[in-house]
Amino acid sequence: MNNGTFITFEGPDGAGKSTILSMVAAQFPNALVTREPGGIDIAEQIRQVILAKENIKMDPRTEALLYAAARRQHLVEKVKPALEAGQLVLCDRFVDSSLAYQGYARGLGLNEVFSINQFAIEQMMPDLTIYFDIEPEIGLMRINKNKGREVNRLDLENLSFHQKVREGYLLLLDRFPERIKRIDASKTMDEVFVEALKLVDRKVSEKKQR
Ligand SMILES: Nc1ncnc2c1ncn2[C@@H]1O[C@H](COP(=O)(O)OP(=O)(O)OP(=O)(O)O)[C@@H](O)[C@H]1O
Ligand SMILES: [Mg+2]
C-alpha cells in the first residue's frame, strides 16, 4: 500500500534545512517536495492562526493541537497520496518539530505531544529524518543575514528558547536512533548537501529492495 519513501528535514531555525532540501530535490525530479501546511487550504488557515503576531494569548496546548491538526490535513491531502503512488516525499519539518518546540522547549512534555501527534498521523512516521544540528547562535545569525525573510512570532523568542529546541532534538536523536540521522550543519553548504544526499540515496535504494 505504502510504496513511497517519506523523508523529513528537521533542525533548529537557520540550520539550512530548506536550502539543502531544495538542493537534494534537484536530484530527484519526481519527488514531492513539501512543507506544512503545503498549500492545503484548511492547513493554511490553521497556520495563520498559529503564526499571527496578535495571538500572544495562545495557550501552548492550543498551539500544539493546531500544529497537529494542520499536519493531519497536509498528510492526508498531499503526502499520503504521493506515498501510495510510490513517490519520494521530501518534507521540510514534520512531527519532530512539534516534539522539539512544543514538547520540549515549551515544556509540554515529549510524550504528551507525541501522543496527540500519533492520533493525527496514525502510523505514518517518516522512513528517515535528517537532523541538521547547529548551535542556535549560528542558525539565528544565518537567518538575520537573510534580510528578505519574513519575521514571525516564533523568531522573536529568546535565544534560550532556541537552545532548548536544540536540546529537544538531541533527545529525539537518542530516542529514535534508527529513524533520525544527524548531520553537522555548521559545515559548508556543499559538505552538508553531500551528506544529506547520501542518506537520501541510501534510504531510497533500501526501500526499493523490499
Ligand atoms: N551550510 C551552510 N553554511 C552557511 N550558510 C548556510 C548553510 N546552509 C544554509 N545557509 C544559509 O543560512 C540561511 C538559513 O538557511 P535555511 O533557510 O535553509 O534554514 P532553515 O533551516 O530552513 O531555517 P528555518 O527553520 O528558519 O526555515 C540561508 O540564508 C542559507 O543560505
Ligand atoms: Mg526553512
Side-chain angles (χ1 to χ4, degrees):
M1 183 187 100
N2 182 348
N3 298 315
T5 306
F6 184 21
I7 299 180
T8 58
F9 286 51
E10 291 281 359
D13 300 28
K17 300 175 292 295
S18 306
T19 304
I20 304 300
L21 193 152
S22 68
M23 292 167 80
V24 170
Q27 309 296 313
F28 298 93
N30 296 322
L32 170 70
V33 176
T34 190
R35 57 171 298 175
E36 298 167 337
I40 299 304
D41 266 352
I42 294 170
E44 294 280 0
Q45 290 172 45
I46 297 168
R47 182 80 161 201
Q48 280 177 20
V49 175
I50 299 171
L51 295 181
K53 285 195 185 74
E54 63 269 24
N55 285 343
I56 45 172
K57 272 198 300 194
M58 188 176 293
D59 175 79
R61 286 183 182 233
T62 306
E63 185 181 273
L65 287 163
L66 287 171
Y67 271 121
R71 173 161 305 133
R72 167 76 187 174
Q73 197 63 33
H74 170 256
L75 189 73
V76 167
E77 276 196 53
K78 200 168 177 183
V79 175
K80 198 165 179 243
L83 291 174
E84 283 171 354
Q87 267 181 287
L88 169 64
V89 176
L90 302 172
C91 188
D92 196 340
R93 292 192 183 279
F94 190 60
V95 64
D96 299 294
S97 286
S98 283
L99 299 180
Y101 285 76
Q102 278 73 52
Y104 190 78
R106 287 211 193 279
L108 286 182
L110 287 179
N111 291 334
E112 283 80 355
V113 176
F114 194 38
S115 72
I116 61 164
N117 273 279
Q118 280 177 305
F119 176 73
I121 70 178
E122 299 177 80
Q123 305 301 316
M124 303 192 58
M125 284 296 275
D127 297 297
L128 166 69
T129 296
I130 305 178
Y131 167 54
F132 293 80
D133 191 32
I134 194 113
E135 307 253 342
E137 289 91 338
I138 304 177
L140 294 177
M141 227 160 57
R142 285 180 181 175
I143 286 174
N144 289 338
K145 265 210 224 158
N146 184 0
K147 293 202 179 86
R149 185 180 177 281
E150 196 181 313
V151 174
N152 67 42
R153 192 166 59 85
L154 298 182
D155 294 332
L156 304 176
E157 300 282 353
N158 58 26
L159 186 62
S160 81
F161 176 79
H162 292 285
Q163 268 150 358
K164 290 210 84 173
V165 168
R166 183 180 182 218
E167 279 175 45
Y169 273 121
L170 292 172
L171 283 173
L172 292 169
L173 188 64
D174 229 44
R175 186 179 300 193
F176 303 105
E178 289 302 308
R179 172 174 63 87
I180 307 180
K181 303 299 175 200
R182 174 187 177 274
I183 290 181
D184 178 355
S186 69
K187 293 185 182 173
T188 68
M189 237 179 252
D190 282 344
E191 286 173 317
V192 176
F193 166 62
V194 167
E195 283 188 37
L197 184 61
K198 208 182 287 173
L199 288 172
V200 172
D201 270 336
R202 194 185 302 158
K203 183 54 70 177
V204 167
S205 49
E206 196 183 298
K207 287 276 276 193
K208 270 191 198 136
Q209 282 161 12
R210 274 198 211 142

